[in-house]
Every structure is written in C-alpha cells, then in structure tokens.
C-alpha cells in the first residue's frame, strides 16, 4: 500500500471512530481493541493504530501503555478545566466576531438556536447536540483570528462528545433558553450582559456534564474508574 492510499485509509478510519464516539455508538470509558476494530473495519492494524493516535490528540481516546486504548472518561476536574479554557477562547472570539462580522454572526447563531430548539421539541438528542455545537462555533469561525480558531479545535471534539453523552433533556432545554437570552442581549448591543451570560453558560457545563461514571465489570480506567469492554460489531466495515 502506498503512502497516499494508507493516509486516505487512516483518515477514513479516524472519521469513522470519531463519529462513533460523538454519536454515542461508543460510550465514554469504553475499552477499544485494535485487533477487533481492524477486523470489523476490514483494514490492517496500522490505520487503526494511527487513527487512535490522531484521536488521542483530539482528546477523544486515552492510550495507556501496557493497558490499552480507551474512549476518554473525564473527571470532574477535567471538565472544569475544559470549561475554563472554553470560556477564555469563546469570550474573546465573540468579542471579535461582533466587531468584524456582526450581522453574519447573529444570523448564524439564530439559525443554530432555532435548530436546537426544534430538535429538543422532537426529542432528537444528536440533532440538538449538533445544533448546540454549531451555536458555539459560529463566533469562533467568524472571529478572524486563526490562533483562536486553532486553539478551539483542540477541544471541540471532546466538547461535542460530552454534549452527546452527558446532556439530558432538561439540561438541553435550559441551555437552549440561555442561547436565546445571549442572542437577545447581543442584538440589543448589550455586550457586557451577553459576555457575562455566555461565560456563565459555558461554566455551567461543568455542573451539567460532570456525572460520575457508572461502575461496571471490566478493566479499571483512569482515576480508578471502571471501564467497559465495548461491543464493536455494530461499527461495521468501512463504506466503499
């Protein structure tokens, strides 16, 4: 296999595993078998191993020498640190986006907020999580600062996974209401109020998503938490 073909295959395996984590096919803390995934996906072990490394860089997989690879399982402290990082990045991105692309930012945020509200009414968790992610990414993409954009990308996948795995219908409803409140302040040019509300909204993620993992039989994960040996059969072979 030449380098270009192998690189393309690794990218496909990476995207398939990323989607499985973000869409909830794999649970937080699941133990991942390199051999079994290679067999199920119909590939050699090399692209699976390389996909694990790529997803580790995104924070979605923990690779522990002599123990194996696992879907990440954040502690309360991890989640709090993540929220603090997001708050710094998103507040500055929002300030710049409103200065540089105010109309585009407000229009896109409104679409995302309405999409999340509609998804919640339909009780579609994945759709509401996706719309929630879009709402927060609008300011990032419109801020015009590539360093802020790249910094946010370091945690974007992990935040998305937490939304899909840890959010409940009540927390999604509350988050949606807060989105509309933030939007209203931005449209009224109340930047101080909007920034304070956005900062509080982001920090609330630590409370909403810091759930203790369920203890199940299996290997012990980070911080002494039990991990689950995932059934990977549903992942299926890579599409042609």
């Amino acid at each position: 296999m030449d380098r270009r073909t192998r690189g393309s295959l690794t990218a496909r395996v990476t995207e398939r595993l990323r989607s499985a984590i973000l869409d909830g096919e794999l649970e937080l803390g699941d133990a991942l078998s390199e051999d079994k995934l290679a067999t199920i996906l119909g590939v050699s072990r090399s692209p699976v191993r390389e996909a694990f490394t790529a997803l580790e860089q995104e924070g979605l997989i923990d690779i522990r020498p002599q123990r194996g690879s696992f879907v990440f399982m954040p502690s309360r402290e991890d989640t709090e640190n993540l929220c603090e990082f997001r708050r710094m990045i998103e507040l500055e991105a929002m300030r710049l986006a409103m200065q540089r692309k105010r109309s585009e930012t407000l229009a896109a945020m409104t679409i995302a907020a309405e999409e999340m509200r509609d998804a919640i009414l339909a009780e579609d968790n994945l759709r509401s999580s996706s719309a929630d992610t879009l709402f927060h990414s609008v300011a990032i993409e419109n801020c015009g600062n590539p360093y802020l954009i790249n910094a946010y990308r370091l945690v974007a996948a992990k935040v998305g996974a937490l939304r899909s795995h840890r959010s409940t219908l009540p927390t999604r409803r509350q988050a949606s209401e807060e989105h509309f409140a933030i939007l209203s302040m931005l449209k009224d040019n109340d930047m101080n109020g909007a920034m304070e509300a956005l900062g509080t909204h982001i920090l609330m993620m630590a409370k909403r998503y810091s759930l203790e993992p369920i203890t199940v039989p299996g290997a012990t994960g980070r911080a002494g938490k039990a991990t689950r040996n995932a059934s990977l059969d549903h992942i299926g072979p890579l599409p042609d």
Side-chain angles (χ1 to χ4, degrees), residues 10-27:
T10 297
R12 292 170 63 200
V13 172
T14 302
E15 179 56 33
R16 181 66 188 95
L17 295 180
R18 182 188 295 112
S19 296
I21 296 170
L22 295 180
D23 294 347
E25 295 177 71
L26 293 172
E27 296 293 335

Side-chain angles (χ1 to χ4, degrees), residues 116-127:
M116 183 175 176
R117 178 193 59 198
D118 292 346
I120 291 170
L121 291 174
E123 298 186 6
D124 187 334
N125 182 35
L126 289 180
R127 184 178 155 208

Side-chain angles (χ1 to χ4, degrees), residues 17-18 29 31 54 63-64 80 103 109-110 126 131 142 175 188 192 239:
L17 295 180
R18 182 188 295 112
I63 300 176
R64 305 174 195 142
E80 290 172 350
S103 297
M109 289 177 68
T110 299
L126 289 180
N142 285 333
D188 290 341
N192 289 335

